[in-house]
Amino acid sequence: MDSAILYRNLSMRARIALLTAIFFVFSPIAMLMVANVGQGWHWVDVAGWLIGSATIAVCWAYAFFKGRHYWLPIILNAAVPVSQRMFFSGSLATGNAGFTITGLVMVVAIVIGYVMFVIFIRGEGAKTVHLQAEMELAKEIHDHLVPEVTLNNEQWEILGSSSASSEVGGDMLDVMLMEKRVIVTVADVSGHGVRAGVMMAMIKSALKTTLLRKTEQTVCADLNNVVYALKRPDMYATGVYLELHTDHSVTYTGAGHPSLLHINGVDKTCASHESQNPPLGVVKDLPFAQTQLSVKPGDLLVILTDGLTEVENKSGEMFGEERIQHLIREKVGRPLAEIRAELLKSVDGFGAQEDDQTLVLIRAK
């Protein structure tokens, strides 16, 4: 039954809230059935009748949601009124109160309202449960497509991770070993959520296919044409593509992405390399320019997405690239995991996450 499935998927807090609502909706039923409600009644009598009626209603609702235990409310339907007449002294217990048509109409109205409430829950709740299940599946797929990446060989140490702002994000992160090269790719699809996540998955698929053909020189051009052909008119993707060579040379291609940061491991100076090309998917058949970089052992390369730099505090001030540069320069020689933890902690303490956040740290050895 749909209502039973919905109930099972509710958190304990939500279950308590639902049953509490039912408790208070049905608590006055017994009192509405009699005349002169409250006249000459002691507060203990009133509380007793309210709790008795509400308890029966909650038990019926619980049995309905669970799909079993119907014997419990049936027993209470018989036992509670008897107990009330034995232990409470108000007009109901003494038999002085009379049955009223007005009370009956009010009780019927409450019951009809509750039935309609349940019908609504069964219909909309089933849709919600189905959507929740689909989103959980989408999150599992996203986590598989964008896992934490690590690499530690003779020339390079790499640590990268991505955090989506919702169940599904539009940031892509990939590290591949290609013969004597290490390929590092980061992309950020405009927007976030399911639409951006679908485009991100297509970009990653196109990237893998291109690299299998071993035509690294045309990777960004190929990705650009893929995004151009498949995206909506208002969508695009920024990206960084790095080829790390065994001689510590680096081929860098930026496409409308935040700058690649290069921190010197000795004097802790920072060079900011801006993207030389427009974002992916803006112009078809566009040649993408590359830049050759040279790094030394101990140097650190940092790739990040604007979900980190554009975090705002309560005053509307952005975290910005300068704060990131300052933090990383201070800790350039520390373990990569420590640098990442400190940076993400600082960003999280500055303001709430509104966009997908990806960070890749690359150290030359």
Side-chain angles (χ1 to χ4, degrees), residues 191-224:
H192 50 272
V194 175
R195 187 173 68 170
V198 171
M199 180 59 69
M200 177 274 293
M202 290 189 292
I203 292 175
K204 186 159 189 175
S205 176
L207 170 67
K208 295 289 188 181
T209 302
T210 300
L211 291 177
L212 287 175
R213 296 203 311 264
K214 299 182 180 180
T215 55
E216 290 88 344
Q217 294 79 7
T218 64
V219 168
C220 291
D222 288 349
L223 291 179
N224 177 66

Side-chain angles (χ1 to χ4, degrees), residues 61-277:
Y62 181 78
F64 177 75
F65 285 128
K66 298 292 286 187
R68 57 181 184 275
H69 304 311
Y70 287 106
W71 54 269
L72 180 60
I74 292 174
I75 292 176
L76 287 175
N77 267 335
V80 170
V82 172
S83 301
Q84 289 169 326
R85 286 181 172 82
M86 289 176 61
F87 296 105
F88 301 110
S89 58
S91 58
L92 277 173
T94 58
N96 296 329
F99 177 85
T100 65
I101 298 299
T102 302
L104 177 62
V105 171
M106 295 178 71
V107 170
V108 171
I110 291 175
V111 172
I112 292 175
Y114 175 69
V115 170
M116 298 306 297
F117 176 63
V118 170
I119 292 174
F120 173 79
I121 287 180
R122 292 183 65 177
E124 297 304 313
K127 296 178 183 177
T128 301
V129 170
H130 179 73
L131 178 60
Q132 180 181 350
E134 292 293 328
M135 290 305 297
E136 289 177 355
L137 177 59
K139 185 179 186 305
E140 290 180 7
I141 296 173
H142 173 268
D143 292 344
H144 178 73
L145 287 173
V146 194
E148 179 179 292
V149 297
T150 59
L151 184 143
N152 197 344
N153 61 18
E154 294 181 359
Q155 290 82 31
W156 305 98
E157 181 185 3
I158 301 174
L159 177 64
S161 60
S162 181
S163 173
S165 59
S166 58
E167 285 80 359
V168 181
D171 281 7
M172 188 206 77
L173 167 61
D174 192 77
V175 174
M176 292 183 63
L177 290 171
M178 299 292 295
E179 297 178 351
K180 296 182 179 181
R181 302 174 182 177
V182 179
I183 307 298
V184 181
T185 310
V186 171
D188 179 7
V189 179
S190 58
H192 50 272
V194 175
R195 187 173 68 170
V198 171
M199 180 59 69
M200 177 274 293
M202 290 189 292
I203 292 175
K204 186 159 189 175
S205 176
L207 170 67
K208 295 289 188 181
T209 302
T210 300
L211 291 177
L212 287 175
R213 296 203 311 264
K214 299 182 180 180
T215 55
E216 290 88 344
Q217 294 79 7
T218 64
V219 168
C220 291
D222 288 349
L223 291 179
N224 177 66
N225 288 336
V226 168
V227 176
Y228 186 89
L230 298 177
K231 73 179 182 67
R232 288 166 55 95
D234 58 340
M235 294 183 71
Y236 61 89
T238 66
V240 168
Y241 176 79
L242 295 182
E243 294 179 14
L244 311 177
H245 304 274
T246 56
D247 61 355
H248 287 156
S249 64
V250 177
T251 303
Y252 162 58
T253 306
H257 202 78
S259 299
L260 171 71
L261 305 181
H262 178 188
I263 296 90
N264 188 293
V266 177
D267 60 19
K268 299 183 180 181
T269 56
C270 180
S272 181
H273 301 283
E274 296 183 355
S275 292
Q276 321 94 311
N277 306 284

Side-chain angles (χ1 to χ4, degrees), residues 33-50:
M33 294 291 291
V34 298
N36 304 319
V37 173
Q39 295 185 15
W41 285 31
H42 192 273
W43 69 269
V44 175
D45 300 324
V46 175
W49 285 97
L50 290 176

